Every structure is written in C-alpha cells, then in structure tokens.
Amino acid sequence: MTTPAVRELRRPTPGGPLVAFVHGLEDSWESWLPLSHALPPAWSPVALDLPWRPGNDYQWRRRPSAQWLADGLDRLGRRPDLLVAHSFGANALLELLCVRDQRVPDTVMLICPLYRPPDVAVTWRVFERARRAFERHIHDSLRSRLGKRLRAMEAEVVDLMIAKAVDRVGPAGFLTVFDQFCASASLRLDRVTARVLVLAGGSDPTLSPAAARTLADGMPHASLSVGDGYDHFCYARQPEDVASRLRAFVDAIPVVTGHPKGAAT
C-alpha cells in the first residue's frame, strides 16, 4: 500500500489543537505513540502512515517524498496546528516549507533531519560515512520498534532480524536517503516563513550539532535545541524530555490554539 493514511494516536479532544506527526524511512507511525502520550491532554495527536513505512518495496520513490507528504496532509481534512517530522519525513517537510505549501502550518518541529551544509562536498568518504550511518539507523529503528519485547529475545535472534532488515532495504533504500541528503544543500531555506524548531542529538551520526546550527540559521524564524544524550531516535527513547522541549517551543510562541482552520494566531 502506498496511499498515505491518518492514524489516531490518542482519543481526540473536541476543539483541541491538531498535532500531526510524520515518521522517517523504515519507521512506523506507531513509533510516535510514546511521545503522543507525553503531550498535554488538550492536544489531539495523529500520525501520518506514509509509503516509506517498514517493509515497503520502494516503488513509491519514483515520486518525490514531498508529494506523498502533501497527499497525507490532504487526508487530514484541515491544516494542522502543529506538524512534527522525523528524519526522512523531516526532509520531505523541509521541501514543502521551502515552497511555502499552504498545507503546512506556521509552526513545525524537525527532529534529526538529513541535512548537508552547502560547504560539505559529496565525496566517497561522505558516501561511506552515510552508508554506515544508514545501517546503524536501520539497527536502531528495529530495536526501537521491538521495545519491551527486546528484553525477552536472544541477542543472536535480534542480530539476525537486523541483518535481514538491512538486506531487505538494500541499496534502493540507502540511495533514496542519500539522494535526499545530498539535495538538502540546495534547499531555499531563506524562503521558509514558518516558525521552526530543529531538534538535534549529540549522539546522532547523521546530523551533527554544527550542521543543525547551519540549518537553523538558514531559516528566518528557526531555533535550535540540542540534546547531548539524544541519538537519531530520541523522540522514541526519551519521549517525555522531547515532549517538554516541544511544549516549551509552543508556549514561547502562542500558536497551538485549536483554530477551526488550523491556522496560527
């Protein structure tokens, strides 16, 4: 299935602000459940189930990821008050931000996007480093999805599952991500009018704090938050801490209001 779908993360609050979440490559909409439960009760969180979910065949990559995300936003029925995206999904959102797509709200959070600063050349060394980071992300994503079940599983079984996942994703998955990473250097960040929080991790091999600073500085209304102990899947591993940073960001700019059209005030 490639058609995007909308999944409720919690029972919606009538009149509450609509918060939409966008997952990364080989990740699931369900990965947002821990973070959604740490959000204020008045918020109504939903997640987009996008074609780059685990187990996909990568046929969707013939179409830009930003278009798939736009389709998912259309299925919400209204513009969300807040949009939170991770990794590959965050890059799709970045593309929509740079063209000022009206389906995107005025307040967004980008968690560990795949960003290449313009002064970083695409070399074989960068390619190999990205490939190693990609395999680590597949490893960490699977372990994150296993959650508490991981404790009851033998290490050899987990390693075999990870190896099979890496083989299944294969070059098609990696090249999809690497192409997005390379293209990010040419994004017109200066055209972004939304208020953006870039969340980065000190232990994330993909987005260094320095690259995250360059990304945030390139957008007129962006701020940066770095968690020294965060890795690429910080939102799933430390949901309460990430939720606290998200609430502080929203509270600093009174945006989430439950406006009937999802517009910021």
Side-chain angles (χ1 to χ4, degrees):
M1 181 182 73
T2 55
T3 304
V6 179
R7 312 294 185 186
E8 287 186 359
L9 294 170
R10 219 169 57 188
R11 184 181 296 276
T13 302
L18 177 63
V19 185
F21 293 89
V22 182
H23 64 81
L25 191 82
E26 289 291 328
D27 205 1
S28 168
W29 66 270
E30 294 175 301
S31 65
W32 293 110
L33 284 167
L35 178 57
S36 71
H37 292 306
L39 297 178
W43 293 14
S44 295
V46 299
L48 297 182
D49 183 7
L50 293 154
W52 46 83
R53 61 182 68 86
N56 75 86
D57 59 9
Y58 286 90
Q59 292 300 310
W60 57 269
R61 68 192 181 99
R62 300 179 183 277
R63 186 167 181 252
S65 57
Q67 291 184 18
W68 288 113
L69 175 54
D71 288 350
L73 293 174
D74 282 337
R75 296 182 72 86
L76 290 175
R78 54 168 277 200
R79 190 168 71 139
D81 296 282
L82 176 65
L83 194 53
V84 180
H86 173 244
S87 193
F88 188 84
N91 282 69
L93 176 53
L94 257 177
E95 292 183 31
L96 293 183
L97 283 166
C98 290
V99 298
R100 300 177 182 174
D101 191 290
Q102 293 302 303
R103 286 164 286 204
V104 176
D106 293 332
T107 305
V108 305
M109 182 184 197
L110 304 173
I111 302 178
C112 301
L114 312 169
Y115 180 65
R116 178 174 70 90
D119 62 346
V120 175
V122 180
T123 64
W124 287 115
R125 182 179 180 182
V126 169
F127 181 91
E128 288 299 329
R129 186 172 65 229
R131 186 184 61 80
R132 291 193 299 270
F134 180 75
E135 290 191 3
R136 176 177 167 182
H137 290 163
I138 297 298
H139 173 282
D140 291 346
S141 177
L142 180 58
R143 293 179 70 88
S144 178
R145 293 200 306 274
L146 288 173
K148 295 180 180 179
R149 292 174 292 171
L150 192 63
R151 301 174 185 172
M153 300 176 69
E154 295 184 2
E156 293 81 1
V157 174
V158 176
D159 289 342
L160 180 61
M161 291 175 65
I162 292 170
K164 287 184 175 180
V166 172
D167 286 343
R168 179 187 57 74
V169 174
F174 167 66
L175 291 176
T176 300
V177 169
F178 189 68
D179 181 64
Q180 193 182 56
F181 166 74
C182 292
S184 65
S186 61
L187 290 172
R188 288 293 307 275
L189 301 177
D190 60 304
R191 290 180 51 82
V192 176
T193 58
R195 287 158 290 204
V196 181
L197 175 63
V198 177
L199 182 63
S203 299
D204 182 6
T206 301
L207 182 71
S208 68
R213 169 54 63 191
T214 301
L215 173 61
D217 287 347
M219 293 179 282
H221 309 290
S223 56
L224 173 64
S225 180
V226 178
D228 291 337
Y230 284 4
D231 65 6
H232 197 66
F233 294 92
C234 55
Y235 71 96
R237 299 186 191 278
Q238 293 137 307
E240 293 186 358
D241 193 66
V242 171
S244 176
R245 293 174 189 250
L246 178 57
R247 290 196 304 268
F249 170 60
V250 170
D251 289 344
I253 44 175
V255 174
V256 179
T257 61
H259 190 283
K261 291 186 179 180
T265 58

